[in-house]
Amino acid sequence: MKAAEVRHILDTIGELFPDAHCELNHSNAFELTIAVLLSAQCTDATVNKVTEDLFQKYKTPLDYISVPIEELESDIRRIGLYRNKAKHIQSLCSILIEQYGGEVPQAHDLLVTLPGVGRKTANVVVSNAFGVPAIAVDTHVERVAKRLALAGWKDSVLEVEKKLMKAVPRDEWTLTHHRLIFFGRYHCKAQNPKCQVCPLLDVCREGKKRMKTAVIRKAKSHT
C-alpha cells in the first residue's frame, strides 16, 4: 500500500477518534500489567469493574503473593480463565520481587519472559507506562488492519504488527494502536460494522463486499 493511502486511513480514523486512549484503568506500570494480563479474552469494561476493588486490596507484588491462591481466584472470579490468571499473577509477582526489586521491568524482552505476559501485553505496557512507541495487535487491530488491506488476510498477529510498524511512522505507533482499537471496538465491529456510514468504505475490501451483498439481498427482496 502506498504511503499516501496509509496516511489517508490514519488521518480519517484520527478524525473519528482523536481522543483514543488505553481504556484499562490503572495508576502505574504494575497495575497496567495486571490489568492487561486480566484482559485476555475479556472486555476492558469487565476488567475495570474487577480492578476497581482489586487495586484497592492489592497495592504491591507482595500483596498478591501474601494471600492463598483461592482468595485471589475469588477476587477475580468474574474474569474469564480466572484460575490460570490468578496463577500467572502470583508467579509474575514472585519474579518481580526476586529479580526486579518489585518493579515492572521496562525492557520489552524482559517483560515477555514474565508469566502471562505475551508480546501484546508487553507492547501495551512499554507504550502506555514507559512511553516507548509500540503497536499492540489485539483482535480489533488485527481485524481492522486486514479489512483495510494494511495486512494480508492470512497474516499472523506478528506479521500484522510488523506490517503496521513498517507502514506507520514510529512516533505514531502508540496513538495509532489506540485509534485502531477504538475504530474496531466502536465502528468497524466484528459482526455489525458500520459500513454504510464509514468514511473508509472506498478503501475497505470487507466493506465493499458487505455493501455489495446488502444491495443484492435488497434487490432479491423486491423481486
Side-chain angles (χ1 to χ4, degrees), residues 84-190:
N84 268 343
K85 290 176 181 178
K87 192 188 304 178
H88 285 322
I89 288 172
Q90 288 200 333
S91 298
L92 178 149
C93 288
S94 293
I95 292 173
L96 291 185
I97 293 169
E98 293 165 9
Q99 297 182 25
Y100 302 106
E103 300 292 327
V104 174
Q106 297 188 24
H108 189 280
D109 59 343
L110 295 178
L111 280 166
V112 295
T113 65
L114 298 172
V117 177
R119 187 173 182 84
K120 184 199 81 171
T121 299
N123 281 342
V124 172
V125 173
V126 298
S127 60
N128 290 283
F130 303 125
V132 179
I135 296 178
V137 180
D138 68 354
T139 55
H140 300 297
V141 174
E142 180 180 7
R143 179 174 68 254
V144 170
K146 290 181 176 181
R147 285 179 173 177
L148 294 176
L150 292 167
W153 287 121
K154 295 183 179 179
D155 283 350
S156 67
V157 170
L158 181 57
E159 287 169 333
V160 172
E161 181 186 334
K162 287 181 177 179
K163 287 185 178 179
L164 287 174
M165 287 168 66
K166 188 175 181 181
V168 179
R170 189 174 188 273
D171 62 349
E172 295 180 42
W173 284 358
T174 300
L175 182 58
T176 296
H177 154 71
H178 291 312
R179 286 177 172 173
L180 288 174
I181 288 177
F182 268 55
F183 186 70
R185 183 175 287 160
Y186 302 113
H187 184 86
C188 189
K189 300 177 182 180

